[in-house]
Each structure stands twice: as C-alpha cells, then as structure tokens.
Amino acid sequence: MNGLLDVRVAAVRQLTPLVREFTLEAEHGALPGFSAGSHVVVHMPAPGRTLRNAYSLLGDPAEAQRYRIAVRLQEDSRGGSRFMHEQVNEGDRLQLSPPANLFGLHSEARHHLLIAGGIGITPFLAQIAELERRGASFALHYACRGGLTDAYRGELAGRLGARFAAYDASAGERLDLAALLRSQPLATHVYVCGPQRLIDGVRSVAASLGWPQGRVHWEAFAAAAPGEPFVAELAASGRRLEVPADLSLLEALEQADVAVPSLCRGGVCGQCATRYSSGAVEHRDSFLAEAERAWQLMPCVSRGCAGSTLVLDL
Amino acid sequence: MPVTLKPLESYRDDFSFANSPAAIARFPFPFPDDHYLYSVNIEPATAGAPGSVFEHCFDIDEHYRSETAERARVLARDPQRFVVMPHMHEACWDALEMLMTHLAADYPEHFRLTRKGNQWTWENFALDICQRFTFGDADTLPYEPLEYIGRQVQGDFALLDQRDGDLYMDAGIVTGPADWSLAFDAGMSFKQWHAPVPMAHQMGVFDRALKYLLNIPVERPMRRLNWTMTINPRLDTSSETFHEWGHERGLVTADNVGRLVHLRVELQHMARLPRSNALLFGIRTYLISLDELATNPAWACRLHRVLRGLPDAIADYKGLTRYRQTVVDWLSRFDPEAEAAA
Ligand code: HEM
Ligand code: FES
C-alpha cells in the first residue's frame, strides 16, 4: 500500500483493565517527526480484512524515534480496539498512516485549558510535553473512572502538581464545566477530547458564556479512511470489480488497468470525475456540485454504498 | 547524474542568465492543454523521472551559484525579504531539517549532513561552507535557521501557521516573487493574500485548495505549477522594486520579443512540517526566454494558443496586457493552424 509506515510493536503495557499502551518502532529507517495533537491511522491485519482506527500519538514530540499510542477497549462492532487488545503483541508488525494533526495547539493562546475524558487523555500527553518545553501557561482537567479509564493519572499528578485536576466518577467527583470555563483568564483556548457528551458539554457551555468559536477546539478524527466493500461494473465491457474496504475505487480501477486521470487523489482537483448510470453513491469529494452528483462521482474518494453495485460509464 | 553548476550569471543589469540545452530540455512547461484556466491543479509530489525537475523535492540545477548569489544581494539591500514571527521559530528549525536532509540525500556531491544528537555539521561543497551547530540553538548559526538554509537553496519559501481552519503567512524568505511582497502579505490568511487573483475565488478554487492543504499529513507532499511572464531574466520582481522593472513591459518589440520576454514557471511544493505542524510552501522559479522555448516548436505552438485564448482578466492580473499581442504575433509562426489562417 502506498505511503504507509511499517512499524514493529516494541512494547505493550496494560495500564488499566481497559487501556493498553503500545510502543511502536520503525521497521526500517526512522519514523517521521510529529507535532503535539497528531494522530495516526493504525492498519490492523485482521483475518480477511484490514481494520483501521485513528489513535493520538501520546509521546513527547521531541522524541519521535518511537511512537506511543493507548487503546481503550471499546464495545464497538468494527472490533479494531478488540484486535489491538487481544491479537497484538510485542514483536508484531503493523502499518500506520503518516501523522496528521487536526488538534494542534493554537499559536495565539495565552492560556491553554485542556479537558480530557477517559482515553481522551492521549493527545494531551503530547500537548503538555510541548507546552512545558515552551514554558506556556496551561492546566489539565481529567474526567475518568478510577481503576478503569484513569490511565496516566498518578504520573500526571506528580508531574503537573497544581496544574492538574482529576475527577473520578466512581468516587462521585464531578467536573463542573460551567464553573471551570467561567473562571478562565481572557484569551484562553480550551481543548477537549473524550466522549461525545463531554465535547458537546464543553462546546455548549463555552457558547453560552460567549466564548468565540475559534477558542474552542475538539479532536475530530478525519472520517475519511475506512469504507465498505462494494462492486463496480464497467458499462463498456460488463466487467465487474470487487472493491474491498481498504482500496479506493480509483485504486481498484488502476489495479484492474482501467485508466482514469487523477491528480490530487483527495477529491478537490476534479481530474478523476467519472460518470455513472446506476447505483447508490457515498459522495465524499469537495468538487462536484450537488446536481452533478446525480450522474458523476470522484473515484479517488467516493464509493458505492455497501453491498450495492455501481455501474460506471467506463 | 550529478548536476554540473555553471559559473556566476546575473539576473539584473546585463542579464547574462541563459539556459543550457539540458536546462531547456528539463524546463517544466506548464500547459497540458491549448487553453488555460485556473484550477486546483495539485498532485502528490512523488519522485519524478531521473533528471527531471520533479525527481527531488527541492531541485538544484545549473543556476545554483547565480541564484544563491542573487538572493544574498537582494537580502543585503532589503532585509525585509526575510520574515519570522515569534511563534514560528520551531517551524523554521523544521524547515531547516527538511531542506538539509533532502539536499544531503539527493545531492551528495554538493551537500553533506552529519548528525550526532543535537550536534550537526552541515557541509555545502558548492559554496565552500562547513558549519557546525547545535540543532535548536539559533545562537550557533550566523543567521536565523530559515534564513541560513534559505540562502543555500534555490527557490523562495513561505511557512504557514495553521490555526482557525486557515493558513497564515507568518514566516518566509522570498527574494524572487512574481509581483507580490512578503512584507505586505506577512500575517495574512490564505484568502487574504490571494485576494488580488481574479476569477479563481468565484470558481471555488481557493475554498477547495485550502481545504486540501489543511489536511496534508507529514511525508505526503503535494506540488503544483503556476506561471506568468517576465521581461528579461529578472528573478526579483517583487512589488517593492516595481519601479525598477515595471517599465520594461513597454520595451517589447517584434524584434526583441524572443530575447526579452521570458516564460516564468513556478514549481510549488507543499509539505507538512512534522514538529510544528506548519506548512512549508516552496516556490521554485524557472525562467526561459521565448527564443530558448522556441527551440521546442511544440511548446511554442502550445504557448501561442494559450496566450491567444487567455481570459483578459488573467492576462491583466499577470501583467501581460501591454505586450501580449506582440508575443502572440511572434509565436504564430510556430502554430501551423495560425499560418493557415493568416
Ligand atoms: C499555502 C500555500 C500558498 C501560498 C503561500 C500561495 C501564495 C500566493 C501568492 C503570494 C500569490 C500572489 C497573489 C498576489 O497577486 O498578490 C498567489 C497567486 C495564486 N495562487 Fe497561491 N499560494 C498558495 C497555494 C495555492 C494553491 C494550493 C493554489 C491552487 C489552486 C493557488 C492558486 C493561486 C493562483 C491561481 C494564483 C494566481 C497566479 C497567477 O495567475 O499568476 N495557490 N499565491
Ligand atoms: S484525483 Fe482529484 S478529485 Fe479525484
């Protein structure tokens, strides 16, 4: 696969019954550097398919020779976290997308207020290393469940002292968002990562207190990558292509030697526009107008809907 | 094949700059079509054919000595061509690392980088430099890190801070811009500095381009070509020095057009800087006189059609209006269809 990083699991640590930490090293050469708040998409070789989940890099960006991620066991259907917990051991090999950052520290903030819920602590571990290096003003508030989702809590308490507060739900402790946000100095930026209701809570409290939107940041992993398998049929020849979940339609066409012009491979340039005559399409580009989508799609990013057959004018 | 560097030539006064046949052959001719219109013409910056300008991320060619000397001259006259805002220091180190590692890996005959922890040694054989320094400590270099490495690379660089879902031009070293000014654009957002461009905003080009740029991950650089025209092989056509070169647009005649008028192509490189999350924007400029370009008649024919059909708003913006017709007339001899019509 193009451009993925090959890594080896150098160490595994069970931090709580629900949270497991993985240290990853490059198979060959060096891993690229990363900025605080970055995530990688881990490609897991499950039997018969590739699972992909995004995880924040939690190590100190100044020490990028190894990456660290922490995975909370989720009761979700796709099973990526289960795979990481049950199948991945020291010495195993994985592939990663290169780091991307959609949760960076804001260069104009005077004070950084970091709010984590459970496993949402991970991006902040990198952020505080960076903030400490810069000598920046910050505080970290950690809502967790003692003994289950409170990974790194002891370590953080020792390291950050008064700049750290934890709220253990199982001990009945509550993080009062309204009181916290109301007491912040002007030009504070707030960052939140955790369960959706924590993110929604911070956003709505900030909005009700009149915080400008640009001062409220939340981690939103790019939804782009994974897809569902579907079938593409080429109208001219009647050929049928099975497009697996881990290939784009464009990649599948290229592997079948069907030439489609492309440039950006990211749904913005318009080069790969392809007509289709039937099938349900999941449009993911930012090029086509709504009306054009009725008969055109951008195969570099868009796909047929799961289980459907897409008939292309090719 | 190792690059052979020419002795010094000039981009001003007597304009002794010229391209060798090899440089002409690898010129990044930017027109895939007879018609030109703005579009989001970006593509992954994957390694191109050996010897082509796309082979490496940062292309070093025969003009290396002349271009670095020209940059030193411009910076001596106008230090404002280098800008770095306080929050961009880390991005500057990032850029220095990216440039040094690429140059040393791609051109071992000209550059060498030795790293022992934070103790780095940088050797530039072409400019006879051997510099030991501590990575991250600006006091151990004679210039700010971006300026230091910028003085030893061909092409201009802007470093964009990413915040608020936008990009801000908060650092750069720009000594050869095509009629814009770093000092003027410094601190501006993506749409602010693009404000003078006609048509493209309405076409949605900048909305889509920005969205894409914000999501570029590390190690997945992108590139695009942009073009304009310049009278004489003048690299420094900054807005600040307009009084020195603007009037030259009136000098073009049927007799001197092949020598005076140059196609100016920018190979732009967009890469994520890993530690700072800033975006590096490289602008590598290639100049070719129409006489040189016409040694490839297919190019001359294509350029004839592009210029003839170019929308007036774009021609005006690029500053071609005064001499466009003279150029089109001169190029028509290379276009079989134009001959037939005449
Ligand atoms: C962050 C990266 C970029 C930087 C720093 C940058 C900078 C600039 C600047 C300074 C100008 C001159 C504006 C003036 O007249 O004052 C310009 C022009 C322009 N830019 Fe960008 N640009 C970037 C990315 C892009 C991208 C990705 C596109 C994709 C379509 C684009 C399209 C254009 C166009 C069409 C023009 C007009 C050029 C001409 O007609 O000569 N730019 N850009
Ligand atoms: S290749 Fe650019 S939109 Fe598909």
Side-chain angles (χ1 to χ4, degrees), chain A residues 245-257:
Chain A
D246 55 348
L247 280 192
S248 69
L249 174 55
L250 181 64
E251 288 166 332
L253 289 165
E254 287 168 347
Q255 286 191 4
D257 287 326

Side-chain angles (χ1 to χ4, degrees), chain B residues 36-42 158-160 167 169 177-182 184-185 190 192-198 200 205-206 208-210 212-213 224 226-229 239 266 268-270 279-283 314 317-318:
Chain B
Y36 177 82
L37 203 56
Y38 292 140
S39 67
V40 187
N41 56 332
I42 56 182
L159 305 187
L160 300 315
L167 296 167
M169 208 185 284
D179 199 3
W180 60 281
S181 149
L182 176 65
F184 184 78
D185 285 1
F190 189 77
Q192 283 171 339
W193 79 65
H194 278 122
V197 181
V205 163
F206 292 122
R208 292 201 298 273
L210 174 60
Y212 197 94
L213 296 181
R224 73 179 281 265
N226 188 46
W227 69 279
T228 186
M229 299 187 101
S239 321
E266 297 174 351
Q268 303 177 343
H269 183 82
M270 291 149 267
L279 196 73
L280 173 137
F281 185 70
I283 311 161
I314 297 184
Y317 169 73
K318 291 181 187 284

Side-chain angles (χ1 to χ4, degrees), chain A residues 250 261-273 285-287 297-301, chain B residues 40 42 212:
Chain A
L250 181 64
S262 73
L263 267 181
C264 71
R265 305 180 82 87
V268 295
C269 76
Q271 275 290 313
C272 68
D285 65 285
S286 16
F287 182 81
L297 85 163
M298 313 307 290
C300 61
V301 289
Chain B
V40 187
I42 56 182
Y212 197 94

Side-chain angles (χ1 to χ4, degrees), chain A residues 2-5 32-35 61 98-102 106-108 130 134 214 263-266 268-269 286-287, chain B residues 40-44 87 90 161-164 170 208-209 211-212 214-215 217-220 222 274-277:
Chain A
N2 57 31
L4 293 181
L5 310 170
F34 66 93
S35 52
N101 194 345
L102 303 174
H106 198 286
S107 58
E108 291 179 333
E130 182 65 35
R134 292 185 196 173
L263 267 181
C264 71
R265 305 180 82 87
V268 295
C269 76
S286 16
F287 182 81
Chain B
V40 187
N41 56 332
I42 56 182
E43 63 177 345
H87 59 275
E90 182 159 36
D161 186 35
Q162 182 157 332
R163 58 177 193 268
D164 303 330
D170 289 349
R208 292 201 298 273
K211 193 167 169 177
Y212 197 94
L214 293 173
N215 284 301
V218 303
E219 302 218 323
R220 296 267 176 90
M222 303 293 291
R275 272 187 308 270
S276 58
N277 201 37

Side-chain angles (χ1 to χ4, degrees), chain A residues 6-309:
Chain A
D6 293 307
V7 294
R8 190 180 50 249
V9 178
V12 181
R13 279 205 297 162
Q14 189 77 36
L15 300 178
T16 77
L18 289 182
V19 180
R20 231 164 136 77
E21 184 199 86
F22 299 84
T23 301
L24 309 170
E25 285 179 351
E27 275 274 68
H28 16 251
L31 292 170
F34 66 93
S35 52
S38 294
H39 68 269
V40 292
V41 177
V42 179
H43 296 234
M44 298 161 247
R49 63 192 181 133
T50 302
L51 299 169
R52 307 184 204 196
N53 277 0
Y55 296 108
S56 296
L57 295 176
L58 58 86
D60 183 343
E63 291 153 21
Q65 303 88 334
R66 304 168 139 217
Y67 290 172
R68 283 194 295 148
I69 59 173
V71 178
R72 180 201 198 283
L73 184 62
Q74 306 281 359
E75 307 304 322
D76 70 354
S77 53
R78 294 217 329 256
S81 70
R82 186 163 298 280
F83 185 89
M84 290 297 290
H85 272 251
E86 294 172 1
Q87 309 289 327
V88 178
N89 297 302
E90 244 172 71
D92 285 353
R93 292 177 164 75
L94 293 168
Q95 290 190 306
L96 311 178
S97 67
N101 194 345
L102 303 174
F103 196 50
L105 293 166
H106 198 286
S107 58
E108 291 179 333
R110 296 282 173 75
H111 180 71
H112 304 262
L113 174 64
L114 316 176
I115 301 177
I119 195 63
I121 192 69
T122 52
F124 297 129
L125 294 167
Q127 308 269 33
I128 59 173
E130 182 65 35
L131 290 165
E132 285 191 310
R133 191 169 19 257
R134 292 185 196 173
S137 166
F138 73 93
L140 171 60
H141 295 259
Y142 187 10
C144 55
R145 204 164 272 281
L148 286 177
T149 58
D150 60 345
Y152 307 105
R153 178 177 164 187
E155 175 186 329
L156 286 166
R159 175 170 171 193
L160 301 180
R163 291 178 296 182
F164 179 72
Y167 309 84
D168 183 348
S170 54
E173 297 166 6
R174 235 177 54 79
L175 165 56
D176 182 345
L177 288 174
L180 179 62
L181 264 64
R182 211 176 290 122
S183 67
Q184 294 303 312
L186 232 65
T188 294
H189 282 242
V190 60
Y191 306 76
V192 54
C193 182
Q196 193 62 40
R197 34 167 229 297
L198 181 67
I199 296 177
D200 293 345
V202 169
R203 292 179 63 191
S204 74
V205 169
S208 70
L209 293 175
W211 285 47
Q213 279 185 14
R215 299 234 179 100
V216 184
H217 312 276
W218 63 94
E219 174 62 300
F221 288 122
E228 299 293 331
F230 65 98
V231 174
E233 187 178 309
L234 310 183
S237 61
R239 261 174 90 188
R240 287 168 69 83
L241 303 179
E242 310 266 348
V243 184
D246 55 348
L247 280 192
S248 69
L249 174 55
L250 181 64
E251 288 166 332
L253 289 165
E254 287 168 347
Q255 286 191 4
D257 287 326
V258 182
V260 176
S262 73
L263 267 181
C264 71
R265 305 180 82 87
V268 295
C269 76
Q271 275 290 313
C272 68
T274 301
R275 291 164 179 256
Y276 68 98
S277 55
S278 70
V281 178
E282 192 185 327
H283 290 282
R284 295 174 168 188
D285 65 285
S286 16
F287 182 81
L288 293 171
E290 206 44 51
E292 295 171 317
R293 292 186 165 172
W295 49 280
Q296 274 183 300
L297 85 163
M298 313 307 290
C300 61
V301 289
S302 300
R303 325 176 51 85
C305 289
S308 78
T309 297

